[in-house]
Amino acid sequence: MMLSGDEDEEKWLAEGIAGVQHNAFYMHRALDSNNLREALKYSAQMLSELRTSKLSPHKYYELYMRAFDELRKLEMFFKDESRHGVSIIDLYELVQHAGNILPRLYLLCTVGSVYIKSKEAPAKEVLKDLVEMCRGVQHPIRGLFLRSYLAQVSRDKLPDIGSEYERDAETVMDAVEFVLQNFTEMNKLWVRMQHQGPGRVREKREKERNELRDLVGKNLHVLSQIEGVDLEMYKENVLPRVLEQVVNCKDELAQYYLMDCIIQVFPDEYHLQTLETLLGACPQLQPTVDIKTVLSRLMDRLSNYAVSSADVLPEFLQVEAFAKLSNAIGKVIDAQVDMPIVGAISLYVSLLTFTLRVHPDRLDYVDQVLGACVKKLSSAPKLEDSRATKQVVALLSAPLDKYNDILTALTLSNYPRVMDHLDDGTNKVMAMVIIQSIMKNSTCISTAEKVEVLFELIKGLIKDLDGAAQDELDEEDFKEEQNSVARLIHMLYNDDSEEMLKIICTVRKHIMTGGPKRLLFTVPPLVFSALRLVRQLQNQDGDVAGEEEPATPKKIFQLLNQTIETLLYVPSPEMALRLYLQCAEAANDCDLEPVAYEFFTQAFMLYEEEIADSKAQVTAIHLIIGTLQRISVFGIENRDTLTHKATGYSARLLKKPDQCRAVYACSHLFWVDDQDGIKDGERVLLCLKRALRIANAAQQMANVARGSSGPVVLFVEILNKYLYFFEKGNTQITASAIQSLIELITSEMQSESTTLDPADNAFFASTKRYIEFQKKKGGAMGEKYDPINV
Amino acid sequence: MNYLIGAFKPACNISITFADGKNRKQVPLKKENGQTIMVPLFQSQENISGKISIEPVLGKKVEHNGVKIELLGQIEMYFDRGNFYDFTSLVRELDVPGEIYERKTYPFEFSTVEMPYETYNGVNVRLRYVLKVTVSRGYGGSVVEYQDFVVRNYTPPPSINNSIKMEVGIEDCLHIEFEYNKSKYHLKDVIIGKIYFLLVRIKIKNMDLEIRRRESTGSGANTHVETETLAKFELMDGAPVRGESIPIRLFLSPYELTPTHRNINNKFSVKYYLNLVLVDEEDRRYFKQQEITIYRLQENS
């Protein structure tokens, strides 16, 4: 029966273990009886099991560990000369008589370790001999494990500073030399694995290699543990040698792993002081090596180091860490032509993160990074890769997060240039991020220049970019975006009116490019922002008198006029009308009669020409009336014209009830309850009477059209107006008129044809209760109400 | 039966003792019958002296035509069994014809004996030294006793001992350079060297260093050559790549070597070779053989 590969391997492993155990048993017996010859014989046989080629690294490791444990016992035996009676020097020769190389070298390493311990020969000599002899095993897996064994048994015997094996100052170098050589040889073996065996099992082999990598990396760890490896030695010897090996092995897996290893095992301080060397190796690596991860980790480590203590920061400056990193990244990107753009960008992101953490005060660095990124991006067509785009967003967001302040980002000249390389969608996302950052931190953008830059940044939201497909826009998203822009406009503020005006002009310039859909959202905040300025100017009036003040309300109103006009093309006449009225009111506050008049004119013209919908008309006319009522600046003539127009339009509304309500609202135009407000009781009464007439007409129309009289509510409403003016002292409104109106309503309500709305009833009832209340209150008001009976 | 036994028994016992037998070094010697006995060790130009004692059996008298002792250096070819060739033959007459009634002792001495060749036990040839005592008798045959001894000759370290260095290869396939530190090694020596791989296009499985002994006997058409591999020492496990340098360190002491013998009395030669063998994954063998000279170095020197 055929066994599958795995089962085969299990079987071979079991056989190997059995072989080790069997021979170990006889070895133990020999050890117990202090029989050196037999001990050597059986240990060599035991180690012969390690000569197998059939096991994967994983399984081989299992076998190796078994043998390893046994070798410890043998080592104990070797150590005790009284047990075997052979001097260590002779023993060192004796084990070399073994015919098979693998057992021979395992035994040699074992005796070698005892030899060093005995101090009968300098550690240096023994180590050198061992590491040299191990060359005989060229089989990758067997060689790696053998050398790993050597590294293991020699670890505590290196002639390090302070170690008992140190003889003079020179010996640290010997220790380093030894570990480096072992490392080099192991790496060579490891790399070679890749080229062995048929090509079809490449993947499996890569996996196996990966399992073995820590055997190689262990050497670097040992190196980092050698006390005597100070910065000087690391710089002059260790690092260049290790890097030489890394570069020369030309193996992707090894280069990646080892670079990472170097970065992880040696102290930060060393990295900082040898940045140039370390980074110099990067562009020389294979083009497929994932350098970005390596460099990112390096930068992570360095930035952690930088923030760990304030004392180390000067070192960073001294070695020009940023310049070096930046330079290296540039070189890596140049060298690795095939590196996808996302790789390059993520490198820049790492560098940027490093910069922000280590040199938060160096905006020029940040800008430099962005600049490099722009350079890279411009060499390629517009970004399509979504991962790359994500990285760019990360790149752009990093400074925002760090500084919590868009103002900083605005000073970066390359910031907008990076954004240019984003696709429209991402550009918008980024613009939103910027706006949100502003909102979150309530940042106030206070100069026109910054506003200019800012709008340049978020232009994805401000206008349609070239070739943007309109139909793809999601309505809701669009609204949200534009609302954000609207909110943003409110964040642009400067106390200085002149600058503020500039800001407004800048904003205006930008939003005017936005097209009809956006104007609807962006014009109102701009208008209100401008009106705020107007009010500010109005308050300062006294202070700035005499000075040549370019930011006059007049000028602003002109600007506003033009701005609002654009809404007509949207078209959004209702909005324009509201804004005109707002402006008119502001102009009123500034005592600018002609301006206010002009705005009203605009409003009326809009009403006449653009507002056709009857509901919209009702709303509009009420707005006009309300605004007009509050305006005090007009002279009699102007006012008459306008009120006349307003009442005229009111009476021409389509539905009778609307007419009625508009007309009685107009009554307020003639009675402003201010000290010096207009108080034309007669015309008030006229309006109210007219309203009554219309209400009557409505009633009759309802009778004719539907066979039932219309709602009485209009009368009740008019009654309330009566009461209002009655209370305000309009002599034209008499108690008897009120009395008759009440009676009219009462009779209407009792008429059979009337359909009674409980709400109307309640309304009327409460009105009557109010009259009762006023009567009972007594005093002047009570007297006034006295004649009225309910 | 007793009579019969008595008839085949030699008439006397002969024993040979060396003058410095107590102190002289004894070395093992393999006899024809496979047994190993300890025999004294000599070298050329030494005095070989001692005593012979002859003791008649059961008090009988022994009549003889003379007693002599010979020192023989013999070469014996196995294919020509029984035919000894004596390259050295020295005789001392110990007694004139007469009768021996009781135990009688004769001193003997061969002074500064020239023994140019070493004792050798090979596959097809044997070189031995022996003391032969003969009690000649007219009837009943002579009584003869042999005593083997071993001769080893020591050589000072050679004044010229160049390393062996060579570049060999198969075109476009394998190219190596190897080096052994010397061309002449003494028996307890260590071979140090290295193999440098200049080009490797085959998948090598391992590499061994063999020590081979080539024994040739006879001459002309009758030459017999026998080659033995005395040592097979693995130098390398796995496939090297270009640029690898593999160390060699082979201790000779564990192996039963003899010095190189060149044309010993026109009868035989024993030569040693280092054979470097590379085996590829298909078990093809690539090898290069180099002669080395082995000599015996005075152990205390």
Side-chain angles (χ1 to χ4, degrees):
Chain A
M1 199 178 93
M2 289 283 290
L3 290 171
S4 74
D6 279 350
E7 286 172 15
D8 270 351
E9 226 191 301
E10 286 295 344
K11 201 183 80 190
W12 290 321
L13 175 62
E15 280 171 11
I17 290 175
V20 168
Q21 284 171 340
H22 176 81
N23 287 303
F25 171 77
Y26 287 104
M27 184 185 89
H28 292 161
R29 284 226 312 218
L31 295 183
D32 290 344
S33 55
N34 294 338
N35 186 334
L36 178 64
R37 244 177 62 91
E38 293 280 291
L40 289 180
K41 176 180 154 197
Y42 286 110
S43 57
Q45 281 181 19
M46 174 184 82
L47 290 165
S48 287
E49 295 295 338
L50 289 175
R51 299 174 73 205
T52 178
S53 297
K54 291 172 175 169
L55 299 178
S56 68
H58 195 71
K59 297 274 191 292
Y60 191 86
Y61 176 73
E62 243 179 86
L63 195 59
Y64 163 83
M65 281 316 291
R66 303 251 175 180
F68 183 86
D69 291 342
E70 298 301 340
L71 285 174
R72 296 278 64 72
K73 295 169 193 154
L74 190 63
E75 189 181 344
M76 296 299 294
F77 174 71
F78 286 160
K79 240 177 238 173
D80 191 351
E81 196 184 316
S82 70
R83 286 176 67 186
H84 51 76
V86 177
S87 75
I88 187 68
I89 298 152
D90 290 343
L91 202 54
Y92 194 72
E93 182 191 322
L94 203 54
V95 292
Q96 293 186 65
H97 295 174
N100 280 321
I101 185 158
L102 199 69
R104 178 166 79 233
L105 291 177
Y106 271 105
L107 289 174
L108 190 65
C109 291
T110 313
V111 178
S113 138
V114 179
Y115 198 3
I116 298 173
K117 263 207 133 95
S118 76
K119 295 181 194 155
E120 289 192 29
K124 157 190 173 176
E125 301 292 334
V126 180
L127 290 175
K128 198 171 167 198
D129 190 52
L130 292 176
V131 78
E132 200 52 44
M133 291 312 284
C134 281
R135 280 175 186 276
V137 179
Q138 292 286 324
H139 184 276
I141 295 182
R142 294 195 284 272
L144 279 171
F145 277 96
L146 172 67
R147 286 184 178 275
S148 163
Y149 179 72
L150 172 59
Q152 184 69 31
V153 297
S154 63
R155 260 194 96 154
D156 53 346
K157 302 177 186 72
L158 299 174
D160 189 6
I161 285 182
S163 129
E164 51 182 314
Y165 307 104
E166 181 200 11
R167 296 215 168 173
D168 51 60
E170 293 296 298
T171 58
V172 176
M173 199 53 229
D174 298 325
V176 169
E177 200 62 38
F178 165 74
V179 180
L180 274 175
Q181 196 180 343
N182 204 34
F183 160 72
T184 307
E185 294 300 326
M186 281 178 87
N187 190 43
K188 273 157 60 179
L189 291 172
W190 187 45
V191 169
R192 200 184 299 162
M193 253 184 96
Q194 183 199 346
H195 306 292
Q196 291 184 347
R200 63 194 145 80
V201 292
R202 164 172 282 270
E203 206 171 297
K204 181 169 166 253
R205 208 163 44 228
E206 288 292 293
K207 194 178 142 264
E208 290 180 353
R209 277 192 67 201
N210 221 6
E211 289 172 359
L212 290 171
R213 62 183 199 177
D214 287 341
L215 296 184
V216 185
K218 191 79 180 280
N219 287 296
L220 295 180
H221 188 245
V222 171
L223 268 180
S224 73
Q225 301 288 305
I226 298 179
E227 283 285 320
V229 177
D230 53 10
L231 178 59
E232 184 66 18
M233 187 178 286
Y234 178 75
K235 199 171 180 174
E236 299 300 325
N237 272 297
V238 177
L239 185 64
R241 294 272 301 276
V242 173
L243 284 179
E244 184 192 0
Q245 177 57 30
V246 173
V247 168
N248 288 344
C249 77
K250 296 197 188 323
D251 177 77
E252 180 188 343
L253 188 67
Q255 291 185 334
Y256 172 71
Y257 171 72
L258 293 176
M259 286 304 279
D260 198 35
C261 228
I262 295 172
I263 290 167
Q264 302 305 331
V265 300
F266 291 106
D268 301 311
E269 187 202 345
Y270 287 14
H271 291 319
L272 193 58
Q273 296 299 332
T274 55
L275 258 188
E276 201 153 5
T277 321
L278 185 59
L279 294 171
C282 290
Q284 300 175 59
L285 302 182
Q286 297 301 97
T288 43
V289 175
D290 184 10
I291 303 183
K292 64 173 194 303
T293 311
V294 172
L295 284 177
S296 304
R297 294 208 181 142
L298 174 63
M299 289 186 271
D300 277 356
R301 274 204 69 158
L302 288 180
S303 47
N304 281 333
Y305 177 55
V307 295
S308 69
S309 145
D311 303 342
V312 299
L313 267 176
E315 283 179 45
F316 277 80
L317 294 172
Q318 190 203 332
V319 302
E320 296 175 316
F322 173 79
K324 283 176 184 162
L325 284 168
S326 167
N327 194 12
I329 286 172
K331 279 191 182 146
V332 164
I333 290 172
D334 286 346
Q336 299 203 345
V337 195
D338 296 331
M339 187 198 274
I341 195 100
V342 56
I345 306 291
S346 41
L347 269 177
Y348 286 123
V349 173
S350 304
L351 179 60
L352 190 66
T353 316
F354 169 83
T355 312
L356 291 173
R357 291 185 70 185
V358 180
H359 306 291
D361 50 333
R362 297 297 298 264
L363 277 176
D364 54 331
Y365 285 173
V366 177
D367 203 35
Q368 212 174 313
V369 177
L370 293 174
C373 196
V374 168
K375 212 171 123 201
K376 177 68 190 169
L377 286 169
S378 27
S379 65
K382 205 147 199 171
L383 279 178
E384 306 258 301
D385 181 357
S386 66
R387 286 182 309 149
T389 326
K390 236 178 225 167
Q391 287 297 325
V392 178
V393 172
L395 183 77
L396 292 170
S397 307
L400 295 183
D401 291 346
K402 172 71 188 178
Y403 296 113
N404 273 333
D405 181 3
I406 187 70
L407 294 178
T408 318
L410 295 182
T411 57
L412 303 170
S413 66
N414 283 308
Y415 201 92
R417 294 172 62 201
V418 176
M419 281 192 74
D420 283 348
H421 289 279
L422 289 171
D423 64 63
D424 298 343
T426 322
N427 209 322
K428 282 185 188 163
V429 170
M430 198 55 231
M432 288 294 278
V433 170
I434 293 172
I435 294 177
Q436 276 154 12
S437 157
I438 295 174
M439 295 299 167
K440 197 175 80 192
N441 302 299
S442 305
T443 315
C444 179
I445 318 289
S446 59
T447 70
E449 240 170 88
K450 285 179 187 164
V451 171
E452 177 75 42
V453 180
L454 176 63
F455 272 78
E456 192 57 37
L457 280 184
I458 59 165
K459 65 185 170 199
L461 296 179
I462 299 304
K463 61 182 178 190
D464 292 329
L465 297 169
D466 310 327
Q470 290 288 333
D471 48 359
E472 278 176 28
L473 289 176
D474 183 295
E475 199 60 36
E476 223 160 275
D477 286 354
F478 178 76
K479 269 188 192 158
E480 199 185 320
E481 285 164 18
Q482 295 308 315
N483 280 330
S484 299
V485 177
R487 292 172 67 194
L488 175 67
I489 292 174
H490 289 297
M491 304 303 291
L492 317 175
Y493 182 72
N494 193 323
D495 276 333
D496 179 47
S497 49
E498 201 172 330
E499 190 62 41
M500 188 62 205
L501 181 62
K502 275 192 205 158
I503 291 176
I504 289 170
C505 290
T506 313
V507 174
R508 179 171 181 275
K509 183 183 86 193
H510 282 281
I511 65 171
M512 283 308 147
T513 59
K517 286 182 85 173
R518 289 191 182 78
L519 285 176
L520 189 61
F521 292 92
T522 50
V523 168
L526 177 65
V527 170
F528 283 103
S529 181
L531 289 178
R532 180 164 61 173
L533 175 61
V534 169
R535 294 194 196 280
Q536 193 186 330
L537 286 168
Q538 178 197 335
N539 293 336
Q540 292 175 349
D541 242 5
D543 306 342
V544 291
E547 266 182 52
E548 192 58 38
E549 178 61 43
T552 61
K554 252 189 201 165
K555 204 167 167 185
I556 298 168
F557 283 125
Q558 282 165 20
L559 191 72
L560 283 173
N561 210 338
Q562 293 161 18
T563 311
I564 299 170
E565 223 172 321
T566 56
L567 282 180
L568 299 183
Y569 308 110
V570 171
S572 180
E574 290 92 343
M575 179 59 80
L577 184 122
R578 283 164 191 261
L579 295 176
Y580 277 137
L581 293 175
Q582 285 289 341
C583 292
E585 208 177 335
N588 170 60
D589 295 345
C590 297
D591 262 343
L592 292 169
E593 185 180 353
V595 177
Y597 190 81
E598 170 65 18
F599 281 121
F600 259 101
T601 316
Q602 296 285 358
F604 277 117
M605 275 164 64
L606 270 182
Y607 181 82
E608 282 167 21
E609 291 164 15
E610 306 288 344
I611 301 182
D613 178 65
S614 58
K615 261 188 196 157
Q617 282 184 341
V618 174
T619 317
I621 199 73
H622 278 284
L623 283 169
I624 292 172
I625 295 166
T627 312
L628 189 54
Q629 199 263 346
R630 279 201 300 278
I631 285 181
S632 55
V633 75
F634 291 135
I636 297 170
E637 205 171 310
N638 279 346
R639 190 174 176 89
D640 271 356
T641 317
L642 294 175
T643 47
H644 185 255
K645 273 266 177 200
T647 34
Y649 288 137
S650 303
R652 277 200 294 280
L653 286 171
L654 180 65
K655 283 157 74 182
K656 289 289 176 188
D658 290 343
Q659 278 181 16
C660 174
R661 286 185 175 114
V663 169
Y664 71 62
C666 282
S667 64
H668 288 286
L669 292 176
F670 306 105
W671 193 278
V672 178
D673 198 27
D674 279 345
Q675 204 154 25
D676 34 70
I678 182 172
K679 291 195 173 61
D680 188 343
E682 209 167 321
R683 291 179 75 175
V684 170
L685 186 62
L686 274 176
C687 282
L688 293 181
K689 280 187 170 165
R690 196 166 174 187
L692 270 176
R693 272 205 305 281
I694 297 168
N696 254 325
Q699 198 80 349
Q700 276 157 24
M701 257 175 69
N703 263 332
V704 174
R706 292 181 223 153
S708 73
S709 56
V712 194
V713 69
L714 284 175
F715 292 108
V716 185
E717 285 168 17
I718 296 168
L719 172 62
N720 275 284
K721 290 289 168 197
Y722 265 86
L723 289 174
Y724 171 80
F725 288 112
F726 180 66
E727 277 182 23
K728 293 293 175 190
N730 186 339
T731 50
Q732 299 292 322
I733 310 293
T734 59
S736 59
I738 293 172
Q739 183 69 53
S740 55
L741 187 51
I742 293 171
E743 277 157 19
L744 171 72
I745 296 168
T746 316
S747 69
E748 281 289 334
M749 288 183 96
Q750 282 156 0
S751 123
E752 281 172 19
S753 57
T754 310
T755 44
L756 273 179
D757 187 335
D760 296 352
N761 250 341
F763 187 17
F764 185 49
S766 69
T767 310
K768 285 197 291 190
R769 261 201 315 280
Y770 174 75
I771 298 169
E772 290 289 345
F773 169 74
Q774 290 291 38
K775 279 171 76 156
K776 280 179 192 155
K777 208 162 70 175
M781 198 53 77
E783 267 172 45
K784 222 175 168 188
Y785 273 97
D786 201 40
I788 303 172
N789 282 318
V790 287
Chain B
M1 287 297 282
N2 265 347
Y3 174 79
L4 277 174
I5 292 168
F8 290 108
K9 264 187 140 177
C12 55
N13 286 326
I14 303 170
S15 70
I16 306 166
T17 51
F18 290 94
D20 46 2
K22 290 258 163 57
N23 304 320
R24 183 161 289 276
K25 190 175 175 187
Q26 303 269 316
V27 293
L29 177 74
K30 212 170 173 187
K31 299 267 284 177
E32 290 147 272
N33 58 15
Q35 279 180 339
T36 304
I37 52 164
M38 297 302 282
V39 294
L41 174 66
F42 289 89
Q43 55 178 307
S44 191
Q45 311 278 347
E46 265 191 299
N47 293 334
I48 299 173
S49 60
K51 293 184 295 193
I52 309 292
S53 76
I54 299 173
E55 192 170 12
V57 181
L58 299 169
K60 283 184 185 170
K61 66 168 184 183
V62 178
E63 270 178 57
H64 63 84
N65 298 330
V67 177
K68 63 174 180 183
I69 180 164
E70 292 164 282
L71 189 156
L72 301 174
Q74 301 180 316
I75 293 170
E76 182 186 2
M77 311 288 220
Y78 294 157
F79 53 85
D80 195 12
R81 197 159 280 271
N83 230 343
F84 300 106
Y85 173 79
D86 295 350
F87 58 88
T88 292
S89 177
L90 301 170
V91 190
R92 296 283 183 273
E93 297 290 345
L94 297 177
D95 206 352
V96 292
E99 292 172 347
I100 300 171
Y101 299 96
E102 55 187 0
R103 179 190 169 108
K104 194 168 180 189
T105 308
Y106 308 93
F108 71 90
E109 177 167 2
F110 299 98
S111 48
T112 53
V113 188
E114 197 70 36
M115 294 178 289
Y117 309 131
E118 280 203 357
T119 304
Y120 174 74
N121 254 317
V123 183
N124 285 326
V125 66
R126 183 164 75 143
L127 186 151
R128 70 166 194 161
Y129 287 92
V130 67
L131 288 174
K132 181 182 178 187
V133 177
T134 312
V135 179
S136 315
R137 297 210 294 169
Y139 58 95
S142 301
V143 181
V144 180
E145 180 64 31
Y146 296 98
Q147 168 65 51
D148 280 286
F149 63 92
V150 166
V151 172
R152 288 178 180 173
N153 287 323
Y154 303 95
T155 320
S159 54
I160 298 170
N161 196 348
N162 294 323
S163 65
I164 299 174
K165 202 169 177 178
M166 192 171 254
E167 205 182 306
V168 290
I170 307 162
E171 206 179 332
D172 291 333
C173 185
L174 181 69
H175 224 83
I176 63 173
E177 191 181 279
F178 61 83
E179 183 179 348
Y180 308 125
N181 60 335
K182 304 175 194 168
S183 48
K184 293 166 186 155
Y185 293 94
H186 64 78
L187 291 169
K188 309 284 177 207
D189 217 340
V190 191
I191 299 174
I192 305 284
K194 65 167 191 264
I195 297 110
Y196 184 73
F197 285 83
L198 297 160
L199 175 83
V200 191
R201 292 248 173 92
I202 51 172
K203 288 178 176 165
I204 295 171
K205 201 161 71 179
N206 61 351
M207 175 168 69
D208 294 336
L209 188 62
E210 294 175 344
I211 301 175
R212 290 158 74 84
R213 172 157 69 196
R214 192 164 169 276
E215 176 189 290
S216 64
T217 45
S219 55
N222 274 334
T223 307
H224 290 252
V225 176
E226 199 69 48
T227 307
E228 286 171 278
T229 301
L230 299 179
K232 188 165 181 275
F233 188 76
E234 194 181 18
L235 288 178
M236 184 182 75
D237 169 26
V241 292
R242 196 166 66 94
E244 285 295 350
S245 161
I246 307 298
I248 304 172
R249 183 189 294 155
L250 173 56
F251 289 93
L252 296 179
S253 56
Y255 308 105
E256 288 180 15
L257 306 180
T258 69
T260 298
H261 300 303
R262 290 186 206 284
N263 197 17
I264 300 303
N265 222 260
N266 279 325
K267 295 291 179 198
F268 74 100
S269 289
V270 177
K271 291 180 175 177
Y272 285 90
Y273 296 88
L274 284 179
N275 192 26
L276 184 67
V277 186
L278 292 108
V279 184
D280 74 6
E281 286 187 342
E282 269 111 59
D283 282 329
R284 279 187 294 254
R285 288 160 64 86
Y286 308 83
F287 58 88
K288 179 69 190 175
Q289 198 159 285
Q290 286 291 310
E291 191 185 347
I292 53 168
T293 303
I294 294 187
Y295 64 95
R296 191 184 298 280
L297 188 68
Q298 185 70 53
E299 275 167 34
N300 325 335
S301 71

